[in-house]
């Protein structure tokens, strides 16, 4: 008989190259534009690839019974006398929530960062992501601050309108040039069916070109 505790055991390991695509797609499932616009705006495959290349020791994967249960992506930053850890991304699959996955990922990442000299930790999330805020508060993170993001609809900017007008005019000019004849041809003289008559407006000496009838 299989022990239920064994099935629920969370195994944490470093992220491997074969994990990049599954983690990216799990992030797409979690960080959606309708729920968390800020997270959706910044989440892409380069987040996973970049951190995998620069900080693999702080990029961890959690598995339960061989299935991807969650991930954490972090880094260490050193500025002057400060060395601090930064958790950039934390995601848990909806199929494995409330099984301690996030706890084990964060604990493992924090332990590694302490070992590597970090004495301060940062984490950020969308302010509307209440479950994440409560989770990090429970893990000891505090001193909450909100960062305000402002936006502008560039299609309403005056320069955008001028650029569109310019592109339309350029397209119209290009269409006009294409519609003009490439050259003005004179009527071929009678009896010279095989002779190519050059543009009579050209002032340079004329050269008759004969088609090869052989």
């Amino acid at each position: 008989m299989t022990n239920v505790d064994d099935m629920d055991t969370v195994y944490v390991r470093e992220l491997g190259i074969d994990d990049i695509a599954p983690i990216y797609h799990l992030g797409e499932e979690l960080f959606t534009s309708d729920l968390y616009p800020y997270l959706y705006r910044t989440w892409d495959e380069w987040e996973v690839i970049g951190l995998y290349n620069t900080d693999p020791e702080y990029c961890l994967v959690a598995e339960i019974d061989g299935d991807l249960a969650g991930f954490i992506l972090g880094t260490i930053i050193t500025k002057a006398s400060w060395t601090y850890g930064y958790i950039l991304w934390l995601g848990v699959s909806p199929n494995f929530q409330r099984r301690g996955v996030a706890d084990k990922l964060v604990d493992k990442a924090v332990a590694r960062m302490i070992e590597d000299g970090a004495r301060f930790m940062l984490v950020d999330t969308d302010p509307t992501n209440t479950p994440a805020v409560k989770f990090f508060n429970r893990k000891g993170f505090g001193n909450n601050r909100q960062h305000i993001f402002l936006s502008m609809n560039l299609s309403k900017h005056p320069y955008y309108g001028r650029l569109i007008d310019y592109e339309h005019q350029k397209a119209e000019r290009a269409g006009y040039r294409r519609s003009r004849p490439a050259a003005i041809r004179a009527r071929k003289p009678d009896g010279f069916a095989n002779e190519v008559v050059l543009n009579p407006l050209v002032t340079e000496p004329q050269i008759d070109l004969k088609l090869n009838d052989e």
Side-chain angles (χ1 to χ4, degrees):
M1 180 177 178
T2 304
N3 191 316
V4 176
D5 292 336
D6 292 338
M7 293 179 62
D8 288 340
T9 298
V10 181
Y11 171 62
V12 177
R13 60 174 175 78
E14 286 189 13
L15 183 150
I17 192 169
D18 292 335
D19 299 311
I20 291 177
I23 286 177
Y24 167 65
H25 291 303
L26 177 56
E28 280 191 315
E29 180 182 349
L30 298 173
F31 311 128
T32 59
S33 59
D34 57 332
L35 292 177
Y36 310 115
Y38 163 67
L39 299 180
Y40 173 80
R41 179 179 65 84
T42 54
W43 176 257
D44 58 39
E45 64 272 25
W46 298 110
E47 284 286 283
V48 188
I49 295 172
L51 290 168
Y52 168 75
N53 287 330
T54 61
D55 299 276
E57 63 271 36
Y58 313 121
C59 298
L60 308 175
V61 173
E63 292 181 338
I64 294 180
D65 198 25
D67 295 325
L68 174 63
F71 64 88
I72 189 169
L73 307 178
T75 185
I76 276 188
I77 300 173
T78 300
K79 289 188 176 181
S81 59
W82 282 93
T83 298
Y84 60 93
Y86 185 11
I87 297 175
L88 290 91
W89 298 97
L90 174 65
V92 177
S93 169
N95 298 327
F96 297 103
Q97 292 181 355
R98 300 186 181 279
R99 299 196 191 183
V101 174
D103 281 280
K104 292 203 172 185
L105 285 168
V106 170
D107 290 345
K108 184 70 172 178
V110 169
R112 287 195 170 190
M113 291 178 179
I114 291 174
E115 292 172 358
D116 291 344
R119 296 297 177 263
F120 188 76
M121 287 290 300
L122 288 177
V123 66
D124 64 85
T125 187
D126 192 298
T128 63
N129 192 352
T130 304
V133 174
K134 289 183 177 179
F135 168 78
F136 285 115
N137 286 160
R138 178 171 63 79
K139 298 300 291 183
F141 292 84
N143 194 24
N144 294 11
R145 294 288 186 272
Q146 289 192 5
H147 189 86
I148 297 176
F149 286 87
L150 306 177
S151 63
M152 178 195 304
N153 185 346
L154 293 180
S155 65
K156 298 184 181 300
H157 193 281
Y159 180 76
Y160 182 87
R162 294 196 297 271
L163 181 62
I164 293 299
D165 290 341
Y166 170 77
E167 292 295 335
H168 284 165
Q169 294 170 9
K170 186 169 70 172
E172 289 175 357
R173 290 194 298 269
Y176 172 70
R177 284 195 297 270
R178 285 195 299 270
S179 66
R180 295 180 61 190
I184 301 175
R185 294 185 177 273
R187 191 175 67 86
K188 294 181 181 180
D190 295 337
F192 294 93
N194 290 333
E195 183 176 350
V196 177
V197 181
L198 299 181
N199 187 345
L201 300 182
V202 177
T203 58
E204 297 178 356
Q206 299 288 324
I207 302 176
D208 290 338
L209 300 179
K210 301 289 186 180
L211 296 179
N212 188 350
D213 293 333
E214 296 179 359

